[in-house]
Amino acid sequence: MNTHSFFRSTGYMAITAAIIISVVMIVVSTSISFTSLFSRTDSLALSQKQRSLYAAQGCLEQALLNLSLNSSYTGNETVPITNAGTTVNCTIATITTQGSNKIIKSSAIVNDTTTNLKLTVNSSTLNRVSLEETAIP
């Protein structure tokens, strides 16, 4: 009878070990799935940030072109940028003068991702002095 109880307790140990291993495998696979999901979300956010950055830069270039054609151009317009059937609207704020420089601000939103840029150029030559991303448009 001693051997019979030994085999019975060994069976319980095997079942317990199988359950523990299964639980560990489920936890590991779930954490890998969430990691994959979060990295995909981060990748999407990065893609949206890049698109809004490129749109805001495009608006700055449009404003520079308009300034080169008409020195009294003041900005304050919305420019639609279409690529692959998707349109992103970017905004050129009112252009201000600060000393011998002009300040051009642009803003673009892709989904919930916003990019605000501030470009400082020399008023007479339109050479770039500085470019920065700002928190406030």
Side-chain angles (χ1 to χ4, degrees):
M1 288 239 224
N2 237 352
T3 60
H4 182 20
S5 68
F6 173 74
F7 286 124
R8 179 180 256 183
S9 68
T10 304
Y12 287 126
M13 286 182 7
I15 290 174
T16 304
I19 290 172
I20 290 172
I21 291 171
S22 297
V23 167
V24 168
M25 289 180 68
I26 288 172
V27 168
V28 168
S29 65
T30 302
S31 67
I32 289 172
S33 295
F34 278 121
T35 301
S36 161
L37 177 66
F38 290 137
S39 68
R40 181 177 174 176
T41 303
D42 289 344
S43 175
L44 179 63
L46 176 62
S47 173
Q48 291 173 349
K49 181 61 177 179
Q50 286 177 332
R51 289 179 56 208
S52 71
L53 173 65
Y54 297 150
Q57 287 174 336
C59 264
L60 290 177
E61 294 299 325
Q62 180 69 39
L64 278 175
L65 175 65
N66 291 342
L67 269 175
S68 71
L69 297 174
N70 177 5
S71 61
S72 62
Y73 172 71
T74 60
N76 198 24
E77 67 175 318
T78 299
V79 179
I81 298 174
T82 303
N83 183 20
T86 304
T87 300
V88 175
N89 289 321
C90 66
T91 304
I92 301 170
T94 302
I95 297 172
T96 58
T97 303
Q98 190 175 60
S100 63
N101 295 325
K102 289 196 179 277
I103 310 294
I104 307 167
K105 294 180 181 179
S106 70
S107 175
I109 301 172
V110 174
N111 295 335
D112 291 331
T113 306
T114 303
T115 300
N116 300 306
L117 296 178
K118 176 183 168 186
L119 176 65
T120 304
V121 296
N122 183 288
S123 295
S124 57
T125 63
L126 297 183
N127 287 333
R128 296 166 195 254
V129 175
S130 69
L131 172 65
E132 61 184 288
E133 184 171 2
T134 61
I136 301 172

